[in-house]
Amino acid sequence: MSNYATPILTTDRLTLRPFTLDDAPDLLAVFSDPAVMHYWSSEPWTSVRDAEAMIEQALAGYREQSEVRFGIELAATGQLIGALNLHRFFPRNRRCEIGYALGSAHWGKGYASEALATGIDYAFHELRLNRIEADIDPRNTASGALLERLGFRKEGYMPERWFVHGEMADTVNYGLLRRYWDERK
Ligand SMILES: CC(C)(COP(=O)(O)OP(=O)(O)OC[C@H]1O[C@@H](n2cnc3c(N)ncnc32)[C@H](O)[C@@H]1OP(=O)(O)O)[C@@H](O)C(=O)NCCC(=O)NCCS
């Protein structure tokens, strides 16, 4: 048992909260969209079973407190519009990886920045992590811009790291240290 609980966190416009199985249809709407999955490391989902499998993995993570997986909900309407994960924790070295996606109808409104800033604060100040890592496709400019806006620094490049959507894809490695984050405030 680890100590990585998934609480409910609120921002001005969003609620970050644990998933339930009732979220499967909304989650499928996000992850079945080819635009959302263009630079993701797997193909677009095709069935509600794909969503249920991800939620079951999240529920197991909640039980073990081994992964933090938030659904991102619009505070005004309660609609689930995306996901934010803190996973691959390495407790001894106080680090983890971050992953995120929003439904394409919700891009360009600052929701991802708002959600990630709150998740990162939680990771550094409640979970007492020191470092958060992200691994993105270099062509994913929206994701790179998001990370850089939050203070992540480019740390590495790994050619042909993934085989997805019928082709090899490269990785840019980003990292955010707690002290970079605190210096920005
Ligand atoms: C990566 C992803 C979450 C970024 O979403 P996003 O909407 O571009 O990011 P933000 O929520 O921070 O929004 C930033 C944009 O909103 C605009 N914006 C509007 N209101 C804003 C506000 N209140 N605060 C901040 N930005 C705001 C910004 O100007 C910026 O616009 P620009 O892209 O034209 O410069 C989204 O592209 C996505 O889900 N992609 C598919 C999944 C994916 O690739 N995930 C990463 C794989 S590792």
Side-chain angles (χ1 to χ4, degrees), residues 160-176:
E160 300 184 20
R161 185 154 189 255
W162 301 94
F163 185 72
V164 65
H165 308 311
E167 60 173 5
M168 300 306 309
D170 299 351
T171 277
V172 183
N173 303 98
Y174 277 92
L176 179 65

Side-chain angles (χ1 to χ4, degrees), residues 13 36 100-102 107-113 140 142-143 146 149:
R13 298 179 293 171
V36 171
Y100 42 83
L102 281 187
W107 295 352
K109 295 176 180 163
Y111 291 143
S113 298
N140 193 348
S143 187
L146 168 66
R149 214 165 23 245

Side-chain angles (χ1 to χ4, degrees), residues 32-52:
S32 59
D33 178 349
V36 171
M37 302 305 269
H38 198 70
Y39 298 116
W40 201 258
S41 52
S42 61
E43 300 296 328
W45 295 355
T46 54
S47 120
V48 76
R49 188 60 211 129
D50 295 325
E52 287 166 356

Side-chain angles (χ1 to χ4, degrees), residues 144-165:
L146 168 66
L147 292 172
E148 288 176 19
R149 214 165 23 245
L150 291 162
F152 279 78
R153 300 188 189 181
K154 250 183 220 171
E155 296 177 332
Y157 196 95
M158 302 166 90
E160 300 184 20
R161 185 154 189 255
W162 301 94
F163 185 72
V164 65
H165 308 311

